[in-house]
Amino acid sequence: MGAYKYLQALWKKKQSDVMRFVLRIRAWEYRQLPAVHRASRPSRPDKARRLGYKAKQGICIYRARVIRGGRKKKAAKGIVFGKPVHCGINKQKAKRNIRSIAEERVGRKCGSLRVLNSYWVAADGIYKWYEVICVDPFHQAIRNDPRLNWICNAVHKHRELRGLTSAGKKYRGLRNKSARRTSQLRPSQRASWKRRNLIRLSRRR
């Protein structure tokens, strides 16, 4: 086994004494840093490389912190001027997963970079931290790389905001391969609903 295989095996045993100690120390370190900051190198090099990271010019790692659990509804002073059924503020279950939210925050902060992928690195009682792999689409090292230059096309601008990354496809349900669900989810739930509910009348001339 190579070194990355040993690292992978180590990360699969997160309840081991070594990993519990490492994750506790890292969570303390990350708490002292801003919510979105650049990391000098990936915390999990084996995972980052499996998701497309290369230690080359034009590729960088950003770490994002997101609050765990359900979301809160934005309402000034917690007042909802409506019926009691809509008065809930806490315990709002988001459709999107937390990893895609972390990708979005990095994508908004680094507007000129493209989000390639992301992975979990740490968590404590309040936060979860994710590392996001970002690519500079204007760097010649990226534009000349046949395995990466697809992301330089204009259609890949802010893929994290449109649910096109791995985390985005997961919350959109596109990992589901069953025939019945696939017809309801592709190309998107709204397009599928519109296709099934729109009345099309042939125009007689």
Side-chain angles (χ1 to χ4, degrees), residues 16-202:
S16 65
D17 291 344
V18 174
M19 287 306 298
R20 285 174 67 184
F21 177 75
V22 168
L23 291 173
R24 193 165 76 242
I25 295 298
R26 282 188 175 172
W28 174 85
E29 181 192 355
Y30 298 159
R31 272 197 299 271
Q32 319 307 316
L33 298 169
V36 177
H37 59 274
R38 184 172 175 178
S40 57
R41 60 177 61 86
S43 302
R44 300 176 63 181
D46 59 317
K47 183 72 169 176
R49 284 179 62 82
R50 272 181 285 149
L51 296 179
Y53 173 81
K54 299 283 184 188
K56 62 185 287 183
Q57 291 181 329
I59 299 182
C60 57
I61 297 281
Y62 275 82
R63 198 177 292 124
R65 182 183 75 202
V66 186
I67 291 182
R68 298 174 63 151
R71 305 292 98 187
K72 277 186 72 173
K73 188 187 291 182
K74 281 193 174 182
K77 299 180 182 176
I79 303 168
V80 178
F81 296 96
K83 301 226 170 10
V85 69
H86 297 122
C87 283
I89 301 297
N90 297 310
K91 301 184 180 179
Q92 303 292 314
K93 310 300 185 288
K95 185 189 172 189
R96 295 173 56 191
N97 51 42
I98 294 179
R99 185 156 72 98
S100 72
I101 294 171
E103 289 178 352
E104 177 193 344
R105 291 183 183 175
V106 171
R108 288 188 189 279
K109 191 173 181 71
C110 311
S112 61
L113 301 180
R114 306 272 162 88
V115 171
L116 182 63
N117 221 320
S118 63
Y119 53 91
W120 180 94
V121 284
D124 64 6
I126 303 174
Y127 303 109
K128 284 188 180 183
W129 284 272
Y130 295 91
E131 284 185 357
V132 182
I133 306 167
C134 296
V135 180
D136 182 1
F138 301 104
H139 200 290
Q140 286 304 315
I142 302 299
R143 297 180 85 87
N144 296 333
D145 188 341
R147 290 181 177 174
L148 268 177
N149 59 9
W150 57 269
I151 208 166
C152 299
N153 294 338
V155 292
H156 296 296
K157 289 179 182 178
H158 288 293
R159 21 196 323 264
E160 73 283 350
L161 299 179
R162 297 178 286 134
L164 302 179
T165 57
S166 177
K169 287 185 176 179
K170 185 175 182 181
Y171 81 74
R172 288 168 61 200
L174 298 181
R175 300 268 175 88
N176 198 316
K177 298 295 183 185
S178 66
R180 182 173 168 275
R181 288 295 291 148
T182 303
S183 63
Q184 294 175 355
L185 295 170
R186 294 180 188 275
S188 68
Q189 286 184 333
R190 283 178 181 166
S192 173
W193 181 90
K194 192 174 181 182
R195 182 181 68 230
R196 287 181 278 114
N197 289 273
L198 195 66
I199 299 176
R200 293 180 181 85
L201 302 173
S202 58

